[in-house]
Amino acid sequence: MHSFNFSRFCLGLLLCCAALGAWAQPMAQVRPGVAITLPRDHGAHPDFRTEWWYVTGWLNTAQGKKGFQITFFRSRTGLAEGLDSRFAARHLLFAHAALTDLDAKSHLHAQRIARWSGLTVGSNSADQSWARLDDTGLMLRDWSLARQSDGRLRAQVQSKDFSLDLHLSETQPVLLQGKNGVSRKGPSPAHFSYYYSQ
């Protein structure tokens, strides 16, 4: 397993509002003027249709320079909204990770997917996949991205070809994209998203 300490990182969160369609319950929409509140907004927002968290960066290792990317996605399916069961697939959690070795000219990648009921959140859950609501915290079987007690993020990925265990420290303040964190992708509020980077 490779374990890296990395002092600079990019953390992004995107809350997308797509066309609502015929959903059992309406999806939340981005509302300009609603401030992003941290650390709460580092966590999941189950009322929105889609969001993701990602970390990217470069690593200087004894084996040479490597680039990495880890992204966790949450998508509200619009299905099983009325079922009171932790097995209901109200949300899908999926993730992608990649490791590029410039010297060896190699690129490794892996992915995971699982359902999340949205009923249980946090590390006390018996579910193999979950997302915290109050701060960064995602578990997708043997992959995770979570804020530690010292304030750093820890990202862990296990795959057949590579493993990452990253400790990520904040080096600069949050950058709100667009106007105060509202990024316009089109003319309608259905095309807006909340978006920030760190």
Side-chain angles (χ1 to χ4, degrees):
M1 175 186 348
H2 294 107
S3 179
F4 304 108
N5 287 317
F6 187 63
S7 62
R8 294 179 55 203
F9 73 96
C10 175
L11 170 67
L13 169 67
L14 177 64
L15 302 172
C16 291
C17 290
L20 298 181
W23 295 86
Q25 295 179 358
M27 301 289 167
Q29 283 197 337
V30 172
R31 294 178 301 157
V34 174
I36 291 176
T37 305
L38 303 175
R40 161 58 193 105
D41 285 326
H42 288 313
H45 301 77
D47 290 341
F48 285 86
R49 182 169 184 185
T50 304
E51 63 187 325
W52 67 77
W53 301 255
Y54 63 91
V55 293
T56 61
W58 290 103
L59 305 166
N60 291 312
T61 75
Q63 296 81 32
K65 195 170 191 177
K66 301 181 189 310
F68 71 89
Q69 167 268 318
I70 304 168
T71 307
F72 283 82
F73 301 86
R74 184 206 49 79
S75 180
R76 185 173 162 195
T77 66
L79 305 172
E81 297 276 349
L83 296 178
D84 187 23
S85 168
R86 71 181 188 95
F87 297 108
R90 284 184 278 285
H91 302 269
L92 293 178
L93 294 177
F94 46 106
H96 180 271
L99 183 65
T100 300
D101 185 325
L102 294 180
D103 296 328
K105 297 184 177 16
S106 69
H107 179 75
L108 305 172
H109 58 91
Q111 58 194 18
R112 297 279 188 275
I113 188 168
R115 70 175 178 259
W116 173 48
S117 67
L119 295 178
T120 56
V121 294
S123 56
N124 294 327
S125 168
D127 289 347
Q128 291 183 338
S129 301
W130 46 259
R132 284 179 54 183
L133 301 182
D134 60 338
D135 201 345
T136 304
L138 299 129
M139 175 67 74
L140 186 46
R141 297 194 312 254
D142 55 346
W143 291 22
S144 63
L145 175 65
R147 189 169 317 281
Q148 306 298 292
S149 59
D150 64 3
R152 295 188 304 166
L153 291 178
R154 185 173 186 185
Q156 295 179 286
V157 169
Q158 304 287 327
S159 77
K160 67 182 178 84
D161 295 321
F162 67 99
S163 298
L164 294 171
D165 188 352
L166 305 174
H167 300 264
L168 309 165
S169 300
E170 181 178 335
T171 60
Q172 55 193 353
V174 168
L175 172 65
L176 301 178
Q177 304 290 331
K179 185 174 181 181
N180 298 319
V182 174
S183 177
R184 294 178 63 137
K185 308 293 191 287
S188 164
H191 303 129
F192 296 178
S193 65
Y194 294 117
Y195 192 14
Y196 69 86
S197 301
Q198 191 173 31

